[in-house]
């Protein structure tokens, strides 16, 4: 952990020293980043990212204690790999469905599958069920990241940088908050096996928000609209 911190500090110092040589996009410097939150759609998307971070990454912190509490301690290594492989697979495969169908169906499907994976590890003790649930958990958690990005930036290309930056910051802040909440629950006497049930709450709240984005937000811009926007940005 000390080595990770050291590398991070050195990287930040290098970026600070060489900041003047890094390319800047006009849109990034034209207005404060937080101004994009004046859009209800962007604000709701950032909150949804936070809740998904609380649920998915926050609960992942306790995957091994949860498995041990269910009598699956010997499966811990396999479960971690299943979660990781699921995450990589979800991130790699979500692009084509996004391009073909847009973000709307995935904004509904991914949080539902995430919640179902939590329900599975809460209700069942079968290692096969846990392995499948862990893969789905990792896949849906990570696939939700580009899905939200496309949903929030499809009609706001010039503001995509601050929107994505705030979304990712919210997700990792949610991860830290989820880990802290899990620790507090365990300290208060909750069983590790029941943490998945607690994670259902932010997952279902995220589903409500992503459903609002899917149904209340604007449709994907047409090709002509995108071309017009790109021309305006260039001017």
């Amino acid at each position: 952990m000390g080595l990770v911190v050291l590398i991070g500090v050195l990287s930040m110092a290098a970026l600070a020293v060489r900041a003047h040589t890094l390319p800047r996009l006009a849109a990034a410097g034209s207005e404060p980043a937080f101004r994009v939150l004046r859009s209800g759609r962007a604000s709701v998307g950032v909150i949804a990212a936070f809740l998904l971070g609380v649920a998915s990454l926050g609960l992942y912190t306790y995957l091994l204690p949860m498995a041990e509490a269910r009598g699956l301690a010997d499966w811990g290594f396999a479960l971690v790999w299943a979660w990781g492989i699921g995450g990589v697979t979800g991130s790699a495969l979500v692009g084509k469905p996004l391009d073909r169908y847009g973000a709307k169906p995935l904004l509904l499907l991914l949080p539902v599958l995430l919640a179902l994976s939590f329900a599975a590890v809460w209700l069942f003790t079968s290692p096969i069920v846990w392995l499948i649930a862990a893969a789905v958990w990792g896949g849906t958690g990570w696939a939700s990241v580009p899905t939200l990005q496309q949903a929030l930036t499809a009609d706001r290309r010039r503001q995509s940088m601050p929107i994505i930056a705030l979304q990712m910051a919210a997700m990792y802040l949610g991860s830290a908050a989820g880990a802290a909440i899990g620790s507090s629950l365990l300290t208060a006497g909750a069983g590790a096996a029941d943490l998945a049930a607690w994670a259902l709450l932010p997952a279902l709240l995220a589903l409500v928000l992503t459903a609002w984005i899917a149904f209340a937000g604007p449709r994907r811009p047409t090709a002509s609209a995108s071309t017009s926007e790109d021309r305006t940005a260039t001017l």
Side-chain angles (χ1 to χ4, degrees):
M1 291 303 297
L3 179 60
V4 171
V5 172
L6 177 61
I7 293 173
V9 170
L10 291 175
S11 300
M12 291 172 63
L15 287 172
V17 170
R18 301 286 294 178
H20 65 281
T21 66
L22 299 177
R24 286 180 66 87
L25 297 180
S30 61
E31 60 182 20
F34 286 101
R35 188 169 293 178
V36 298
L37 296 179
R38 293 180 179 179
S39 162
R41 185 177 174 83
S43 297
V44 170
V46 169
I47 296 172
F50 174 82
L51 291 171
L52 289 169
V54 170
S56 180
L57 291 176
L59 186 64
Y60 174 70
T61 307
Y62 301 98
L63 176 58
L64 295 183
M66 288 163 53
E68 184 177 358
R70 290 298 192 190
L72 300 173
D74 294 339
W75 289 86
F77 183 80
L79 290 169
V80 169
W81 270 94
W83 189 93
I85 292 172
V88 172
T89 303
S91 299
L93 298 183
V94 74
K96 288 186 177 180
L98 275 175
D99 290 339
R100 183 169 183 178
Y101 303 109
K104 183 176 179 177
L106 293 174
L107 286 172
L108 303 175
L109 179 63
L110 294 177
V112 169
L113 291 177
L114 181 65
L116 288 176
S117 70
F118 293 163
V121 300
W122 178 42
L123 296 173
F124 298 96
T125 58
S126 166
I128 301 302
V129 172
W130 270 65
L131 286 170
I132 295 172
V136 172
W137 170 6
T140 54
W142 284 109
S144 65
V145 175
T147 300
L148 263 179
Q149 288 176 355
Q150 176 163 317
L152 299 179
T153 63
D155 62 331
R156 289 172 167 265
R157 293 188 178 181
R158 296 187 66 188
Q159 295 177 316
S160 60
M161 280 185 57
I163 289 175
I164 291 175
L166 290 170
Q167 174 203 349
M168 297 306 296
M171 187 188 72
Y172 285 112
L173 180 61
S175 169
I181 292 170
S183 177
S184 299
L185 289 171
L186 292 176
T187 302
D194 294 326
L195 290 180
W198 287 98
L200 281 170
L201 297 176
L204 293 176
L205 286 174
L207 172 60
V208 172
L209 298 183
T210 56
W212 182 89
I213 294 171
F215 289 107
R219 296 180 179 179
R220 287 196 301 171
T222 62
S224 58
S226 300
T227 303
S228 175
E229 182 182 351
D230 291 341
R231 187 181 297 114
T232 302
T234 302
L235 293 175

